[in-house]
Amino acid sequence: MSQRNPFQVIRSTDQPPESLRKDVMGSVKMLMLIMRFAQLFMADYGNLLFDKVRLLGSKPKGTTPGDSSKDS
Amino acid sequence: MFRKKPKNASTLSDEDLVLELQREMDADRFGVLYDRYTAKVFQKCVGMTHDRDLAKDLTHDIFLKVFTGLSKFDHRSKFGTWLYSITYNYCLDHLRKSKRKQEDDIDEERGPSEHPEDAFEEQLLALRSERLLLVLEQVDPGDRAMLLMKYQDELSVKEIQDILGLSESAVKMRMLRARERALQAYHQLYREDA
């Protein structure tokens, strides 16, 4: 076929604007920051919960671990 | 905080870069992927929307989507194919939402068209490029995407299947409908010439 595929003729050759890179990378860095903060918060929240569980589960002073005779 | 920096991110293959990013997010390494693909994504968005400003916004959102979705990339396809599928689907979603137009359900039961498939293809490929541009603006975004994938990006049916998540018969049926509707739009636009 001698005729050129018109879909190839209309293919866009536009280059993205320079400012786009700055925008995208700025948003990516912001996202990373938010993710880091979220990680930090979640880690602290987990620790807090863990401390609570330990406090509730801890034995009064004077009892040895695994000594169940004093409980009854 | 003395993290070991990668040797040279720009020499890594796409897949190795993605692996590194999956291990640890790093804006510089993501920047390398951005530089490799931004022109392609932007041009695809321009082709789909015919609007440079909108294409810029879509490209921005697509790269953020890629960044947040990198952990889900399972390396079963090439990174480029995965990015391509995100680009097409994101543009399609946007165009459909903005036009508030529901895509017609495909009637899989419908029998073969009375026109042979090849005749549609021949007529489409014989259109003048400036007319084709106008025709593509008239058709539904879904039809436009199908035609661009097939005739501009020269993707196989299998590749289109992967990108759109459709069966082989659904892809073929959609392609046939897209060609039919594009030619209908052409005849409406250029009735006098027909």
Side-chain angles (χ1 to χ4, degrees):
Chain A
M1 196 159 71
S2 59
Q3 208 170 4
R4 216 177 144 196
N5 175 352
F7 284 88
Q8 297 299 343
V9 178
I10 61 165
R11 182 189 281 278
S12 164
T13 52
D14 290 1
Q15 287 304 307
E18 285 294 312
S19 60
L20 184 59
R21 190 181 204 282
K22 214 190 266 177
D23 292 349
V24 171
M25 296 317 289
S27 303
V28 162
K29 283 175 184 165
M30 179 59 81
L31 263 176
M32 282 176 68
L33 202 65
I34 293 169
M35 280 151 80
R36 292 250 159 91
F37 268 115
Q39 267 178 347
L40 266 176
F41 172 75
M42 293 310 279
D44 276 359
Y45 192 68
N47 267 344
L48 255 168
L49 275 178
F50 186 65
D51 283 348
K52 274 265 190 284
V53 170
R54 245 194 353 215
L55 277 176
L56 288 174
S58 62
K59 299 265 178 195
K61 276 179 188 169
T63 55
T64 49
D67 183 6
S68 57
S69 60
K70 287 176 184 166
D71 293 346
S72 50
Chain B
M1 299 293 270
F2 298 103
R3 236 183 279 135
K4 210 177 142 193
K5 274 273 161 195
K7 24 181 184 173
N8 187 359
S10 58
T11 59
L12 293 174
S13 69
D14 294 347
E15 278 67 30
D16 289 342
L17 257 178
V18 174
L19 273 176
E20 296 231 345
L21 281 165
Q22 284 175 329
R23 252 178 254 134
E24 189 189 355
M25 282 302 182
D26 178 280
D28 292 339
R29 272 176 273 176
F30 186 75
V32 175
L33 275 182
Y34 172 88
D35 290 338
R36 281 183 196 169
Y37 286 98
T38 178
K40 279 184 186 168
V41 170
F42 181 72
Q43 286 161 4
K44 212 50 34 216
C45 293
V46 173
M48 289 285 288
T49 61
H50 302 290
D51 180 340
R52 259 185 76 91
D53 289 336
L54 178 57
K56 184 187 164 203
D57 291 345
L58 292 176
T59 306
H60 175 271
D61 294 352
I62 286 165
F63 274 101
L64 285 198
K65 211 173 157 64
V66 167
F67 182 74
T68 52
L70 266 180
S71 57
K72 286 179 227 146
F73 177 60
D74 56 10
H75 296 268
R76 272 190 289 180
S77 61
K78 282 185 181 172
F79 173 76
T81 311
W82 183 67
L83 177 61
Y84 197 92
S85 113
I86 291 178
T87 304
Y88 258 114
N89 287 309
Y90 194 78
C91 288
L92 265 184
D93 281 352
H94 179 86
L95 290 171
R96 281 181 183 147
K97 273 180 204 159
S98 65
K99 282 197 166 187
R100 296 178 187 281
K101 196 173 162 189
Q102 289 227 320
E103 198 189 29
D104 298 345
D105 282 335
I106 307 291
D107 181 12
E108 302 284 352
E109 301 300 309
R110 209 181 118 179
S113 166
E114 61 264 26
H115 303 285
E117 215 173 300
D118 294 348
F120 285 144
E121 187 161 294
E122 230 170 74
Q123 288 179 58
L124 257 185
L125 294 177
L127 295 186
R128 276 159 39 191
S129 51
E130 65 275 13
R131 290 187 170 188
L132 178 64
L133 258 180
L134 280 175
V135 166
L136 288 178
E137 272 175 30
Q138 298 294 313
V139 298
D140 177 86
D143 289 345
R144 193 185 311 154
M146 291 300 279
L147 295 170
L148 290 177
M149 280 191 265
K150 165 90 175 152
Y151 298 110
Q152 192 170 77
D153 302 325
E154 295 171 342
L155 300 183
S156 66
V157 171
K158 174 80 182 69
E159 285 168 317
I160 300 174
Q161 263 177 260
D162 292 344
I163 288 168
L164 299 178
L166 295 169
S167 68
E168 188 185 341
S169 61
V171 168
K172 286 181 176 168
M173 190 58 79
R174 280 192 189 205
M175 191 64 77
L176 185 64
R177 299 277 175 278
R179 280 193 290 249
E180 263 184 31
R181 286 195 279 249
L183 285 172
Q184 274 170 14
Y186 172 74
H187 290 306
Q188 272 169 9
L189 278 171
Y190 300 101
R191 199 168 289 159
E192 339 52 86
D193 296 4

